[in-house]
Amino acid sequence: MDGCGGWMTSLASACVTGNDRASRHGFVRNSDFDVTALTATHSSAQVTLATSTIRPQPGYPHAIDLAVTFTLDARGITLEASMRNVGDSEAPCFFGWHPYFRVGDNAQSGNTADGWELQIPARTLIRADADLIALPGPAAYVSLDDAPAFDFREPRSIGGAVIDHEFTDLYADADGRIRTHLRDPASGLGIAIWQERGVMHAFTADTASRDARRAVALEPMECMADAFNRPEWHDAIRLAPGAERRFRCGVEVRLPWIRDAAARIAQHAVVTPIMRSDRLDALSGAHLYFKCENLQRGGAFKFRGACNAVWSLADDQVGAGVVTHSSGNHGTALALAAITRGMTAHVIVPEGAVQAKVDAIARAGAVMHRCAPTQSAREAMAGDVQRATGAVLVHPYADTRVMAGQGTVVLELLHQVDALEAIITPVGGGGLASGAAIAAHAVDPSLQLFGAEPAGADDAAQSLQRCARVTTVVPDTLCDGLRALVGETNLDALQAHRVALITVSDAESIAAMQLLWDALKIVVEVSSATVLAAILKQPARFAGLRVGVVLTGGNVDLHALPW
């Protein structure tokens, strides 16, 4: 895929008739825009374009001020359009963005987009005539149950389908975003075009001679293209004098940032092994493939995210070092990663942290700062150190660089084991679980995703159940690596990828920890054992499946074992 093309706002008048109705986008295409805001950091960029040139003219006797803000970061691009009626009468207007994805010159999938997989979460197709004008009245709307050739509710190859259709009755993921998915199976690259309401117009570029069968346009729009002439869309497009309406949409890129992370850390991270156990397969009724991140540098998967964050920094940021707050594994990981680039790592460690993990942070060469055992105290001291030293904050989980690095666990797992059907990871702050979910579904959208969370720190499970982040949970669990509250960005990813959480008691996790030590003959910590505990607690959900099981760490105080 080659990326996305231009955008335009749809503005037209209800008095446009005949075949001219097929051309509805002229006003903005020829408008001049001013750059009213422009910001950029090492991880994101944002620009706002605005115009006040849409004023009364033949065919459109209304005045609209338009501003569009584009935000580009590691997750993709977001657009937010603001339309304000500055005239004296009610005005019809709507916004549509027209991203266009082409087969690249070096595409692995051949010369056409026929092999790309498409998924559109819609229940209804809008039928049009030969001039691409929607049929009159109710005849325009047909259930996709009655139009199987254009039913992409489940992901499938585009094949030879000629698509130039609008889809409506869209349904959203748990986070409120409606996602249309496009994926190239040959490269593994996947994107999601998202919107919060409206219709999706899909177009296979068959009428464009340059790009016939070589491009797909996926266009999130507030309403159907012919809405100005459709009474059923009147309320959706009208804008009262002085009123403002906003429309948000964008593209989420599902794999490149994780692949970039994999390349970035390749010289420093360990490719950890897969282990099997006939005994554990028999106990679970599933085929379990244990990804042993307890054998990673620093004894935990955390090195991946920390290393990616450190090597993502610009050269002029290296001198000031990095800072984080951690009860153990992330602090050790960041200190070890900082060494690979000759940097100083400051780690804020709460009182009461497991002594073996505190000792590991010190051995890794970190500058340690102790604080009270609360999230607010950790964050406050991290802020103090950042201001005093100029160090770059590398948050343990709410950092896209860290998420991408953690996601490399799953890329590696899927390369090592064929035909996995499910993946389960522990869930604490959510850095691993969210990065793993994004990577997993970019490679194979059909994978079932699970998370294991301590019952005594079940804020993520409560948040998913309530569709809102819960921050009132006071952790009470032996799983010290899973006591953090789930991050907001991480929760969004868990919702979007429909990660099913299973909560387990400390007793269940300790029993699973003992099983892992005995059956695999390796050292894992109690936080890691939550994944096996979850499988054994709800075996029916995993029965007969090939399951990737991520064992996250093995940093244990051998003088204070929990049994």
Side-chain angles (χ1 to χ4, degrees), residues 282-429:
L283 279 173
S284 65
H287 308 283
L288 306 181
Y289 297 81
F290 294 95
K291 178 65 170 165
C292 297
E293 284 295 294
N294 55 314
L295 303 178
Q296 185 55 258
R297 288 185 66 173
F301 77 98
K302 295 278 190 178
F303 181 78
R304 295 174 180 269
C307 188
N308 186 53
V310 163
W311 283 95
S312 295
L313 298 177
D315 290 342
D316 60 3
Q317 295 177 297
V318 171
V322 287
V323 60
T324 194
H325 49 83
S326 169
S327 61
N329 288 340
H330 177 68
T332 300
L334 188 62
L336 291 172
I339 289 172
T340 68
R341 204 167 177 188
M343 301 173 65
T344 300
H346 298 269
V347 181
I348 287 77
V349 181
E351 298 294 343
V354 174
Q355 190 58 45
K357 294 187 176 182
V358 176
D359 293 343
I361 294 172
R363 285 196 303 271
V367 178
M368 280 201 298
H369 310 261
R370 302 307 294 264
C371 71
T374 65
Q375 188 75 11
S376 58
R378 290 161 62 140
E379 292 175 352
M381 184 167 286
D384 291 343
V385 172
Q386 192 176 12
R387 285 186 289 273
T389 65
V392 177
L393 177 65
V394 179
H395 195 279
Y397 49 87
D399 184 311
T400 56
R401 299 164 299 185
V402 170
M403 290 169 61
Q406 318 304 34
T408 64
V409 174
V410 165
L411 285 190
E412 208 169 273
L413 170 62
L414 292 172
H415 180 73
Q416 292 169 308
V417 183
D418 292 332
L420 282 179
E421 297 168 284
I423 294 174
I424 184 168
T425 69
V427 177

Side-chain angles (χ1 to χ4, degrees), residues 336-530:
L336 291 172
I339 289 172
T340 68
R341 204 167 177 188
M343 301 173 65
T344 300
H346 298 269
V347 181
I348 287 77
V349 181
E351 298 294 343
V354 174
Q355 190 58 45
K357 294 187 176 182
V358 176
D359 293 343
I361 294 172
R363 285 196 303 271
V367 178
M368 280 201 298
H369 310 261
R370 302 307 294 264
C371 71
T374 65
Q375 188 75 11
S376 58
R378 290 161 62 140
E379 292 175 352
M381 184 167 286
D384 291 343
V385 172
Q386 192 176 12
R387 285 186 289 273
T389 65
V392 177
L393 177 65
V394 179
H395 195 279
Y397 49 87
D399 184 311
T400 56
R401 299 164 299 185
V402 170
M403 290 169 61
Q406 318 304 34
T408 64
V409 174
V410 165
L411 285 190
E412 208 169 273
L413 170 62
L414 292 172
H415 180 73
Q416 292 169 308
V417 183
D418 292 332
L420 282 179
E421 297 168 284
I423 294 174
I424 184 168
T425 69
V427 177
L432 171 63
S434 56
I438 293 167
H441 276 171
V443 174
D444 184 354
S446 70
L447 278 166
Q448 297 182 56
L449 302 179
F450 296 90
E453 187 175 39
D458 65 343
D459 58 288
Q462 290 189 38
S463 298
L464 289 176
Q465 186 176 23
R466 300 182 189 182
C467 294
R469 186 167 178 250
V470 173
T471 59
T472 55
V473 173
V474 178
D476 181 16
T477 177
L478 290 174
C479 301
D480 61 292
L482 304 179
R483 290 173 182 161
L485 294 174
V486 67
E488 187 171 350
T489 301
N490 312 95
L491 179 63
D492 288 345
L494 298 183
Q495 289 176 317
H497 292 276
R498 302 177 296 283
V499 178
L501 294 194
I502 300 171
T503 59
V504 292
S505 68
D506 281 355
E508 291 166 331
S509 297
I510 292 169
M513 179 181 176
Q514 290 175 308
L515 273 173
L516 288 165
W517 282 44
D518 188 39
L520 298 182
K521 309 306 180 187
I522 58 174
V523 175
V524 297
E525 57 195 79
V526 67
S527 297
S528 295
T530 55

Side-chain angles (χ1 to χ4, degrees), residues 25 66-67 93 131 165 203 235 240 244 279 326 329 341 488:
H25 311 296
L66 171 68
C93 63
D131 295 315
H165 294 80
F203 170 51
D235 289 343
E244 178 186 22
R279 177 184 171 192
S326 169
N329 288 340
R341 204 167 177 188
E488 187 171 350

Side-chain angles (χ1 to χ4, degrees), residues 172-192:
D173 292 327
D175 62 353
R177 288 186 174 181
I178 301 161
R179 289 178 172 86
T180 295
H181 294 269
L182 188 64
R183 177 175 174 268
D184 178 5
S187 67
L189 174 60
I191 56 174

